[in-house]
Amino acid sequence: MGNKLNPNELIKLNSQYLRGTLRESIADQLSGTLSPDDTQLCKFHGFYEQDDRDLRSERRQQLLEPYYSFMLRARLPGGVCTTQQWLAIDSVARELGNGSIRLTTRQTFQFHGIIKKNLKPLIKRINQSMIDSIGGCGDVNRNVMCNSNPEQSALHTEVYQWANKISEHLLPKTRAYHEIWLDGKPIAGGESEPMYGETYLPRKFKTAIVIPPVNDVDVHTNDLGFVAIVKDDQLIGFNVLAGGGMGTTHDDASTFPRLADDLGFITPDHVLAVATAVVTIQRDNGNRVSRRHARLKYTIESMGVENFIKAVEAQAEIKFEKTRPVKFTSQGDHYGWVQNADKKWNLTLYIENGRIENTPDNKLLDSLNDVAKAHAGEFRITSNQNLIIANVADNKKKSMDALVKELGLLNEGLSLTRIASMACVALPTCPQAMAEAERYFPDLLEKVEELTKRHNITDSSIVMRVTGCPNGCARPFVAEIGLVGKGPGSYNLYLGGDGSGLRLATLYRKNMNEENLIKVLDELFKQYSSHRFLGERFGDFTIRHGVVEAVTNPAKGYHDVS
Ligand code: SRM
Ligand code: SF4
């Protein structure tokens, strides 16, 4: 590794606070693409340039430029939107995207297939519905996650407000977004980025809040995590976590998935100061030479956790109290109708890989449009790519239940493993994909389900996650079975997550094709079926039975607290 700054640092520095030449790039309608620097800067505005990889070689043969389009990711803290907003999102997808909405593993949504001339109208349209895409991507804080426990509505509301406050607090202050996309007037006297500075962060930064015992957001996989501590039904503060992350590079041991460390407990009044401190320490100490090593997890590894804690305390002018004991029990969603303490009803729907579109067999986009029209309330996107119809009044529950049944949205009869699992986007839009994920996973799951039936383990909900590459967008390194794309039809197999997101999975086999994978799972499921303890999870079994070794991690202590 040389000491030369990564070229992205200069792009940021010379961009006049993220403006670059985005206006000119958009105005140039001769090409479907942006200038090279703008392809980096556009991420801070929430979108990526992509090309349809299914069409690449055909277009190359025809001497055409790749079929360029854009993916835009919104900022939606805690995944909450009104049904009015949903109807706007729906119409934008149909009119300016490729007719699909993709719910993501960070509780927001993406549009794919946006052509260049539609970018500005699209951004304007979502902003008219009070949704923006600032920091959807880029080297800043990303969408702030907050768990969507329908059972705990009063607490959820309070904690969700913190997710919103953190999201607002960590937003870049540049007016570039408003000027370029919303025709906002420049503010006289220039501007500054008091927290981020001219070169923003060395890399993306992710924050999540969680209310135990449900760890649907996989809080330990975030750069910064807040674990709500509740006493007598009141929020009294948060355990703060820092330094989690999933992304790795195959066969490069200097990169690794990591679970966050405990920094200690704080009262709510210190949340924003601690968030600022963690962000600015990462800003000043993160690696700006190698983007592969630029996440906070590597900064903490090189500073040492104790030094990092001291630095946060000094910067935020606080003293961490001892981490409070908590217990997590699951990382998946809880499906079906649940009534809140305030008597409102919530229905969690399984959305296969978060993809919402109309196909010849399933008019999911239309069905959710019908639900949104019938429900004057909220939708909540979960961090497992699912959708909650939230806050249905008691006297409306019956008619909503009839509607979702009529529309076939209940997905009854799906296996426990299927509804606990997820896959990343991968092909054809993701430029990083080495193997299929979203398009392949449903078929693979059928084969896995046959095995679970053969071995009588259908009562076990096994968290299985597939990604097309080791960036880990569906958090496979905390799954009980993680498949990580290596090449076309080939995956590395990870085992040993604990079903609550508190233990890293371990590499078990490399370069598995489907045939080998099914053979290996057949044997493992056979052993699990014969030797499991009552209620023992598959991931726990693979550790106890010596299939893989438990990966020591800082979050382990949490799990043992009863
Ligand atoms: Fe991701 C990059 C999709 C959650 C780690 N991720 C990408 C890109 C933008 C590919 C690219 O670099 O051009 C993918 C776009 C695919 C497409 O066509 O839509 C992409 N990531 C996704 C989503 C849509 C996956 C999904 O199926 O839902 C998720 C959107 C989240 C959001 O709404 O903000 C998504 N990505 C994650 C997560 C999970 C999480 O954050 O909880 C991770 C692992 C956690 C982490 O960050 O460590 C993740 N994505 C990455 C990385 C590796 C980062 C690293 O530290 O090495 C990349 C590559 C990069 O940043 O260079 C990446
Ligand atoms: Fe793309 Fe890799 Fe993320 Fe999947 S894990 S969406 S293949 S970057």
Side-chain angles (χ1 to χ4, degrees), residues 170-188:
L170 298 182
L171 266 187
K173 299 289 176 275
T174 172
R175 297 275 306 158
Y177 184 89
H178 301 88
E179 286 171 22
I180 299 172
W181 311 110
L182 308 176
D183 300 324
K185 296 266 172 297
I187 290 177

Side-chain angles (χ1 to χ4, degrees), residues 76-80 104-109 143-148 216-217 381-384:
L76 203 68
V80 177
T104 76
T105 54
R106 291 195 72 78
Q107 286 187 298
T108 184
F109 61 90
N143 198 44
V144 178
M145 292 206 279
C146 168
N147 65 342
S148 30
D216 54 354
V217 300
I381 300 169
T382 79
S383 28
N384 285 293

Side-chain angles (χ1 to χ4, degrees), residues 465-530:
R465 295 175 175 178
V466 179
T467 58
C469 85
N471 284 326
C473 297
R475 301 186 289 271
F477 304 117
V478 285
E480 294 179 276
I481 301 176
L483 287 176
V484 177
K486 196 76 199 295
S490 171
Y491 298 85
N492 284 356
L493 170 62
Y494 289 76
L495 297 173
D498 64 358
S500 327
L502 302 185
R503 188 171 59 221
L504 287 174
T506 309
L507 179 60
Y508 178 60
R509 291 277 189 277
K510 280 186 171 183
N511 303 323
M512 308 283 288
N513 61 21
E514 186 180 283
E515 197 188 338
N516 292 336
L517 175 71
I518 294 299
K519 263 193 215 149
V520 166
L521 290 183
D522 193 15
E523 179 54 33
L524 288 171
F525 287 175
K526 189 171 149 199
Q527 291 176 25
Y528 175 55
S529 175
S530 324

